[in-house]
Amino acid sequence: MIRILLFAVIGLLLVAIAALAGWVFALHKPLPFPLPEPVAAIVEKYVPQALAHPDAEKDVPKEPQPPPVDPLTLAPVNPGYYEITPAFDLTVMDAQARPKYLVSVAITLVLRTPEQEPLVEPLKLRIRDALLTELIGAVNRPNAIDSTGRVDTDYLSRRAKKAATDLLGRAYVWDAIVTTATQRPAESQLR
């Protein structure tokens, strides 16, 4: 019985030694725990890579790197302004498809730099067409008119920015501003 117990203890020690040797040689890492002094001296002599050397390897906590900043998400330092003229004349329809309001909206594009203004000038007709298409649809959506019956210029500005960004890209367009907006009932034009 004592022999069986002795062989079991020796067997467990051999399994533990094999597991630790596999840890050191297969993973190329030092042991994750300190060894007692007499055993550490023997292991240091025959297998020095199994022990972590505190002087050679300092565990200095590293500060996490901030995520990279997309320059297109930053506000331009010196923006350029490109006014789309003449103003857009839009008709807001009621539920029966009759003119309810006549709205006149002037849009100014905020470009990333003033040097982009001459680059945008040849595309003026395409920009007007894209903005007009977007704004005609936008003023006839339910969320274009606020609770007081006025056209929501912030909403129109967001829609104009989307249309301009889709056409020119984020590298050119930072924002679109509704510089002037007028609204009047459509009946005054029909008389």
Side-chain angles (χ1 to χ4, degrees):
M1 181 70 171
I2 294 180
R3 276 192 218 164
I4 295 174
L5 187 61
L6 185 64
F7 284 131
V9 169
I10 291 174
L12 286 174
L13 281 173
L14 289 176
V15 168
I17 291 171
L20 294 177
W23 176 275
V24 171
F25 293 116
L27 299 178
H28 304 288
K29 291 184 178 181
L31 294 174
F33 53 86
L35 294 174
E37 194 56 43
V39 177
I42 296 170
V43 172
E44 176 81 32
K45 183 177 180 184
Y46 295 108
V47 190
Q49 66 267 26
L51 299 177
H53 298 288
D55 296 336
E57 218 180 290
K58 296 278 185 186
D59 289 333
V60 178
K62 295 180 181 178
E63 292 184 22
Q65 293 288 337
V69 177
D70 183 7
L72 296 180
T73 60
L74 300 175
V77 177
N78 183 20
Y81 297 94
Y82 186 75
E83 187 175 353
I84 308 294
T85 55
F88 297 98
D89 293 322
L90 310 167
T91 305
V92 179
M93 304 292 204
D94 63 7
Q96 288 78 29
R98 290 180 301 203
K100 185 174 181 181
Y101 299 112
L102 297 177
V103 178
S104 181
V105 179
I107 302 284
T108 299
L109 297 180
V110 181
L111 303 176
R112 293 207 168 264
T113 63
E115 292 81 28
Q116 292 175 332
E117 292 174 35
L119 301 173
V120 172
E121 182 62 34
L123 301 172
K124 182 176 184 175
L125 293 176
R126 290 184 67 193
I127 295 169
R128 277 193 61 78
D129 184 49
L131 290 175
L132 183 61
T133 303
E134 185 68 30
L135 291 175
I136 285 174
V139 295
N140 287 297
R141 292 193 179 117
N143 50 348
I145 306 294
D146 62 14
S147 60
T148 62
R150 295 183 184 145
V151 174
D152 186 0
T153 55
D154 290 335
Y155 176 72
L156 294 182
S157 177
R158 288 192 307 271
R159 300 307 299 177
K161 177 184 175 184
K162 179 200 176 301
T165 305
D166 288 348
L167 181 65
L168 298 173
R170 288 178 33 204
Y172 283 88
V173 177
W174 168 250
D175 202 0
I177 302 171
V178 175
T179 52
T180 59
T182 60
Q183 176 180 343
R184 60 191 174 277
E187 294 84 31
S188 64
Q189 294 293 321
L190 298 175
R191 292 181 190 173

